[in-house]
Amino acid sequence: MKKTLFICNQCGYETAKWLGRCTACNQFNTLEEKAVRTIPAKSGGKSAAFPQSKDTNTPTLLRDISFGANRTDVRKSTGIAELDRVLGGGLVGGSLLLLGGDPGIGKSTLLLQICRHMASEAFPILYVSGEESGEQIKLRAQRLEVNPNGLYFLAETDIHAIQKSVETIKPALLLIDSIQTMRLSELSSLPGSVTQVRECTAFFTQIAKVRQTAVLLVGHVTKEGAIAGPRVLEHMVDCVLYFEGEGRDSYRIIRAVKNRFGSTHEIGVFEMGEKGLTAIADPSAYMLAGRPVGVPGSAVTCSLEGSRPLLLEVQGLVSHTHFGTPRRTANGMDYNRMVMLMAVLEKRAGYKLATYDSYVNVAGGLRIEEPAADAAIIAAIASCYKNKPIDPSYLIVGEVGLAGELRAVNQPERRITEAARQGFTACVLPQANKKNTKTQGMRVFGAAHIGELLGLLL
């Protein structure tokens, strides 16, 4: 059965009608009309390409469902502590994971390190690559000293050939590098197109659920940093991981934005070296290394990444401008929020910033999402404006409202404990948090307004 679609020759986006500009990549005149064959279905509506469970699905009372021998709540450690933390304790049998990241960030290196710790005769792993040959993988494996028993490699992009190998080897873990290179021969669209990615992911979902095999898919990302392909791809999988980091920096971060078997927004911090990725057990100390002491414009805050408190240095710089419109730059935080905080600082605290270029940077390259860092951003900008350094032993935490008030943050005791472990001796919190917070041996100050906050610090 055939139908006509318009397919973008740049990103693979598909639509039923012609458009002058692709809505996915915003390129003009890239949609081409093509005839696409749909997947023929057998009687009963089941696709010919997909593995099916032998059991007949019938409605069952939830209380009558029992766990089988391959129960899905049993986790197996990957041997990488930081990765286990992000996954919620380890890999779950029958789960489908999606790992995305920029080119060269270290995705293939991470897969081989997982194989080094997990692959064995009792736990066979099938590594399928649609981008690299066996010789290329072998060279990387030798550099990383990866040579375990039970690790099988297959250079293939055809779904049917992969299915035959899965039936032969019966792997406990299936690695696909990458999902954008896989193709279903029944479809005439190119690999990486929306249809191919969606149908191939559905195939691997059946592999995971029917055979209780953990499947890890590597996905390419767009220039905006999102995983390429249809948005439904992230809804189909059980866990979505993002591999983050700058190419010029040695550190890498794995962040979970979706996890059906654990908490979300957990992070694992790694350092890239000649022998691959090394877990950083104390990321707070790593992020604060090299922090200047006694320099105006530096403040330390604590951000909760999932269940992990992480100390970060916020740097602020203001410089008088000779142009009519001052420049505003934000690295590691939302630009609009920085502009809002500067407006609050000018209106509620009397700081005249309209004639100053302003720059805010989160040292280390990590991005702050939660509003608990607002007070530290305010303090860093004010410190540089007044040219007065903030005491380096102070931790600053608090959300700032438009009226200049400091609002309470969640889990203040965990933030204080982490700061005390790193040698900080004082903490400034919103007044609402100070009342019911244990000090952990630290001096804790409360502030209800940014005026009080800046009075304590400057």
Side-chain angles (χ1 to χ4, degrees), residues 121-181:
E121 294 180 358
F123 194 88
I125 296 178
L126 176 58
Y127 189 132
V128 180
S129 177
E131 301 176 346
E132 297 180 283
S133 64
E135 290 78 7
Q136 290 175 297
I137 298 296
K138 180 67 174 180
L139 287 173
R140 184 183 295 115
Q142 290 178 343
R143 177 173 59 84
L144 299 176
E145 300 178 356
V146 177
N147 189 28
N149 294 326
L151 175 57
Y152 298 86
F153 177 79
L154 176 65
E156 185 59 71
T157 60
D158 185 75
I159 287 294
H160 298 290
I162 297 173
Q163 181 179 3
K164 291 179 181 179
S165 298
V166 170
E167 292 173 351
T168 302
I169 299 173
K170 296 180 174 60
L173 174 61
L174 176 62
L175 306 176
I176 305 297
D177 187 11
S178 63
I179 187 61
Q180 278 82 9
T181 62

Side-chain angles (χ1 to χ4, degrees), residues 157-228:
T157 60
D158 185 75
I159 287 294
H160 298 290
I162 297 173
Q163 181 179 3
K164 291 179 181 179
S165 298
V166 170
E167 292 173 351
T168 302
I169 299 173
K170 296 180 174 60
L173 174 61
L174 176 62
L175 306 176
I176 305 297
D177 187 11
S178 63
I179 187 61
Q180 278 82 9
T181 62
M182 299 295 113
R183 62 182 178 86
L184 195 60
S185 57
E186 284 84 354
L187 297 174
S188 62
S189 55
L190 298 174
S193 65
V194 173
T195 304
Q196 286 280 11
V197 171
R198 182 179 62 245
E199 297 299 332
C200 290
T201 303
F203 167 81
F204 290 118
T205 301
Q206 292 296 318
I207 287 285
K209 305 308 177 185
V210 173
R211 302 183 183 277
Q212 288 300 302
T213 298
V215 180
L216 197 158
L217 309 176
V218 173
H220 296 165
V221 296
T222 63
K223 60 182 179 181
E224 289 81 13
I227 295 177

Side-chain angles (χ1 to χ4, degrees), residues 67 70 81 123 149 159 190 220 246 248 291 302 312 318-319 344 356 374 379 395 455:
F67 291 104
N70 297 322
F123 194 88
N149 294 326
I159 287 294
L190 298 174
H220 296 165
E246 297 291 338
R248 61 182 179 272
R291 178 169 66 104
C302 185
L312 299 170
V318 294
S319 176
V344 173
Y356 287 83
D374 290 353
L395 176 74

Side-chain angles (χ1 to χ4, degrees), residues 344 348-349 402-406 430-431 446-455:
V344 173
R348 306 301 181 186
L402 291 181
E405 79 280 10
L406 263 66
Q431 191 67 44
H449 192 271
I450 61 171
E452 297 179 24
L453 171 71
L454 300 177

Side-chain angles (χ1 to χ4, degrees), residues 212-352:
Q212 288 300 302
T213 298
V215 180
L216 197 158
L217 309 176
V218 173
H220 296 165
V221 296
T222 63
K223 60 182 179 181
E224 289 81 13
I227 295 177
R231 188 67 178 177
V232 71
L233 182 64
E234 297 187 16
H235 294 279
M236 297 171 68
V237 300
D238 297 312
C239 182
V240 179
L241 307 176
Y242 277 93
F243 212 168
E244 304 172 355
E246 297 291 338
R248 61 182 179 272
D249 296 328
S250 61
Y251 79 92
R252 301 288 188 271
I253 294 175
I254 296 181
R255 185 188 306 274
V257 298
K258 174 186 176 180
N259 192 354
R260 289 174 177 163
F261 302 104
S263 61
T264 57
H265 297 288
E266 288 285 355
I267 67 167
V269 185
F270 300 84
E271 185 175 12
M272 177 64 79
E274 293 184 359
K275 297 299 182 181
L277 295 163
T278 303
I280 299 177
D282 192 357
S284 292
Y286 183 83
M287 293 296 177
L288 293 180
R291 178 169 66 104
V293 177
V295 177
S298 176
V300 177
T301 188
C302 185
S303 175
L304 281 180
E305 299 291 342
S307 62
R308 163 176 280 174
L310 191 61
L311 298 185
L312 299 170
E313 180 193 3
V314 178
Q315 298 176 330
L317 176 65
V318 294
S319 176
H320 194 277
T321 182
H322 298 284
F323 299 96
T325 303
R327 186 174 183 180
R328 307 281 187 255
T329 302
N331 292 322
M333 65 167 298
D334 181 62
Y335 170 81
N336 293 324
R337 190 160 191 87
M338 182 203 77
V339 173
M340 181 196 76
L341 293 175
M342 291 183 61
V344 173
L345 184 60
E346 184 167 4
K347 181 69 175 178
R348 306 301 181 186
Y351 285 68
K352 305 302 181 182

